[in-house]
Every structure is written in C-alpha cells, then in structure tokens.
Amino acid sequence: FVLSLRRELLDPKHFLGAHVKRSLKEWRGIVMGDSKPENKLRSFHQILKALAVVTIDTYPKLNQLPLSSYYVALSLQTTILPLTYAHLLSLYHQENHQNDALFSSSVHTLMSQDGGCTLESMLVAPRFRIPARDGEERPYGRAVGELDGLSSEMLPTRKMQIIQLTYREICSAVADYYAKSDKQVLLGADDLLPIFSYCLVHAHLSCPCSELAYMNDFILEEDLNGELGYVLATLHTSLQVVTRLGVEEEERAQKSKKEEGEKEATSDKEGGKEEREEHGKAEGADDSEETEDEEDGGQEKEGEGEGEKEGDEF
C-alpha cells in the first residue's frame, strides 16, 4: 500500500502528485522567506497534514482500513522528507544549535579526561562494565557502530530504528557476556541510561539534539507508544546525562585549575616574603658591621686624642 501510494505521490501527472508538486513549491517559497525557523517548520507540518487530508479524500475507502492514517502519513513522509531533508535539518539545527554545541563541548571534556571516557567514568554499574567483544575496539562497540549511522539516514523512522538497534546491541552484549553464567542479570532502564550515554560519547554525532528534535516531530502516534517511543525517550535522557556530566567535569577541572593557581600564588608570595626577610637580615648584618666599625673608629680617635693630650702635658 505504501509503495503504491508513493508512486502516485511522486507522479506529477497524477492528481496527488500534482498536489505534492505545488506543496513543495510553496514550501520552497517559505524556506526562502524571512520568517523564524520555528514558523517555517510549523508551515511544513501544516503542509503535510493538508496532503494527508487530500489523500484520504481522494480514496474515501481508506477510512475503512485499520491504521489507514498511519500508512498515509508514512507514505507522505517517505515521499516528501527525502526531497526536503537538507532544508529541514538546517532549520532544526538553527533551533537547537546551542544544545548541540553544549553537547559537543561536553563530549570533548569527557574524552579529555585521564584515561578518556570509560564505563566507570560514565557511572555504569560494575556488573555492566563488560569487556569488548571480539572485533570491537571498545565495550559495546557494535552499539556505538549502529549509532554512528544515525546522521546518514534521512527518514525519521529509519533514524528511530537505528536508535532501536543500538538499544538491542547493548542488550545483546550483556546477554553474550553472561551467557555462560548462572547469574541472571537484567538490564533495567536505570542501567541502560549510562551505557547508552557512553555510546553517545563515542559515536560521531555532530548535531544529535537537532536529530532528536527532528525525530520527535515526525514520530507517528502509533510508534510513540511502542519500543520506538521508549528508545527515543532513552536518547533524550542520555543526551541530558552526557551534557550534565560534561559540564560537571569542566567545572571540576576549572576549580582544580583555580586552586592550583591560588596555591602557586601563595607559594610565590611566601617565597617572596622569605626572600625579603633574608634580605632584611642581610641588611641588618651590614648595618651592625658598620656600627661596630664606627664604634671601633671612635675608640681609636679617643685614644689618639688622649695621646695628644698627654704629649702636650709632657
């Protein structure tokens, strides 16, 4: 159904295809305008909703099918979003550039720690600090590899599926590690967050906050209540975790640097004080020697005076 509807939406000679063509032309005019990014994005969503209404009106029997609105929306997304993705992501990036910059700064800070970003530094529970599997550069390497592909996808459903695969790879790594153990280990939501955050730090994502906003706006209601909605919420919280840990680490580093600077300043000050005291002692010693010399000179003069007096008397 989706493929069939897509063909009609892409055919400019078909009624729906002609409507899509006009809508995209309208959208390009909006993009070139001076309105705010949020207004442009709102206009795009309105265009999609209008196209969904036109599609269902064109095929009234669609309303009789289960999940018809879901498949119509999915057809429109898979048809139109690849044609507008560059402009859309640019708008989302304009809206979220501060969060993206803060995330990137936090990643840099966490990777710059002594030993880099480790499972321990990301506060992963000890039982989930598992070693890398064969062929992996680091623990949970396959999950990181899945996450690396997020930016290469254009469709929000595909992006969410990558997040889903990342989650499943994390679960798979834990299951493989404890496969031969009698101990039953369950990966709960609280355990997943730091592991997912660790994967985020090691993945090469340039604007994950913009990607998240893009997925949030286009996730379909039917997907929101399932596993895709769960992993999307996990991504959202993990981005916050990475940012918070990075900011805290930066604050600790700045505080430590400040304390070292104050310590050096105090040390220099004390050293200068000791030097002045030694210099003062040296000057005091010189003054004492001069005083003694003067006293000796005075005594000699007195002796000479007495000698002269005795000579005169003689």
Side-chain angles (χ1 to χ4, degrees):
F1 171 79
V2 172
L3 292 175
S4 176
L5 186 54
R6 279 193 65 207
R7 282 194 294 269
E8 294 175 354
L9 291 168
L10 288 170
D11 184 1
K13 296 180 180 180
H14 192 278
F15 171 74
L16 289 177
H19 207 85
V20 168
K21 186 177 180 180
R22 286 195 299 271
S23 297
L24 289 177
K25 185 177 180 180
E26 178 187 352
W27 161 244
R28 292 189 186 97
I30 293 172
V31 170
M32 298 302 292
D34 297 329
S35 59
K36 295 180 179 179
E38 60 183 289
N39 294 333
K40 294 178 181 179
L41 290 171
R42 189 180 300 113
S43 298
F44 183 82
H45 287 286
Q46 290 172 350
I47 288 172
L48 274 186
K49 289 179 181 178
L51 285 172
V53 171
V54 170
T55 302
I56 292 176
D57 288 345
T58 304
Y59 299 104
K61 291 184 178 180
L62 284 176
N63 287 321
Q64 301 174 8
L65 299 175
L67 298 175
S68 59
S69 59
Y70 172 81
Y71 288 114
V72 167
L74 189 61
S75 300
L76 287 168
Q77 284 191 11
T78 55
T79 302
I80 296 175
L81 293 183
L83 303 174
T84 57
Y85 178 71
H87 288 306
L88 282 172
L89 192 63
S90 175
L91 292 172
Y92 278 104
H93 187 57
Q94 291 175 46
E95 283 283 283
N96 298 275
H97 70 279
Q98 290 184 344
N99 291 333
D100 283 327
L102 185 57
F103 175 83
S104 297
S105 175
S106 295
V107 168
H108 177 74
T109 299
L110 293 171
M111 291 296 289
S112 300
Q113 298 177 106
D114 292 337
C117 177
T118 63
L119 293 172
E120 183 178 0
S121 67
M122 293 303 291
L123 308 179
V124 174
R127 64 184 180 279
F128 296 115
R129 296 174 191 172
I130 60 178
R133 290 181 286 185
D134 292 341
E136 292 182 334
E137 294 182 6
R138 60 180 62 85
Y140 301 102
R142 294 177 194 172
V144 174
E146 290 290 350
L147 205 51
D148 271 337
L150 184 68
S151 301
S152 63
E153 295 292 341
M154 292 186 290
L155 295 175
T157 49
R158 277 295 302 142
K159 289 180 182 292
M160 285 183 279
Q161 286 168 0
I162 284 177
I163 304 300
Q164 184 183 44
L165 288 173
T166 302
Y167 162 67
R168 290 179 178 177
E169 281 293 348
I170 291 173
C171 295
S172 174
V174 173
D176 288 349
Y177 181 72
Y178 285 102
K180 297 180 181 180
S181 173
D182 295 333
K183 185 178 180 181
Q184 186 178 12
V185 178
L186 298 176
L187 183 66
D190 292 339
D191 300 314
L192 174 64
L193 277 177
I195 301 173
F196 205 100
S197 301
Y198 166 86
C199 294
L200 271 175
V201 172
H202 286 282
H204 301 91
L205 301 178
S206 58
C207 52
C209 297
S210 300
E211 299 273 14
L212 174 64
Y214 175 71
M215 288 183 280
N216 268 332
D217 280 357
F218 287 101
I219 187 172
L220 301 175
E221 187 176 353
E222 290 79 3
D223 292 329
L224 190 60
N225 298 322
E227 190 179 37
L228 290 179
Y230 171 71
V231 296
L232 199 60
T234 300
L235 172 63
H236 178 263
T237 309
S238 297
L239 287 171
Q240 293 178 330
V241 169
V242 171
T243 301
R244 176 176 56 80
L245 289 177
V247 169
E248 290 176 354
E249 179 61 28
E250 181 65 24
E251 289 175 350
R252 278 195 295 270
Q254 291 293 338
K255 184 179 179 181
S256 177
K257 187 176 180 180
K258 183 179 179 181
E259 289 175 351
E260 288 179 3
E262 291 175 350
K263 188 176 180 180
E264 289 178 2
T266 303
S267 178
D268 292 342
K269 187 176 180 181
E270 290 177 352
K273 183 179 179 181
E274 291 176 359
E275 186 177 344
R276 286 194 298 273
E277 288 177 352
E278 290 178 0
H279 184 67
K281 289 178 181 179
E283 288 182 347
D286 292 341
D287 292 342
S288 177
E289 290 178 0
E290 289 178 1
T291 303
E292 290 177 358
D293 291 342
E294 289 176 358
E295 290 177 353
D296 292 341
Q299 291 176 356
E300 289 177 359
K301 287 180 180 180
E302 288 178 1
E304 291 176 357
E306 290 177 357
E308 290 176 356
K309 186 176 180 182
E310 290 176 357
D312 291 341
E313 290 177 353
F314 177 76

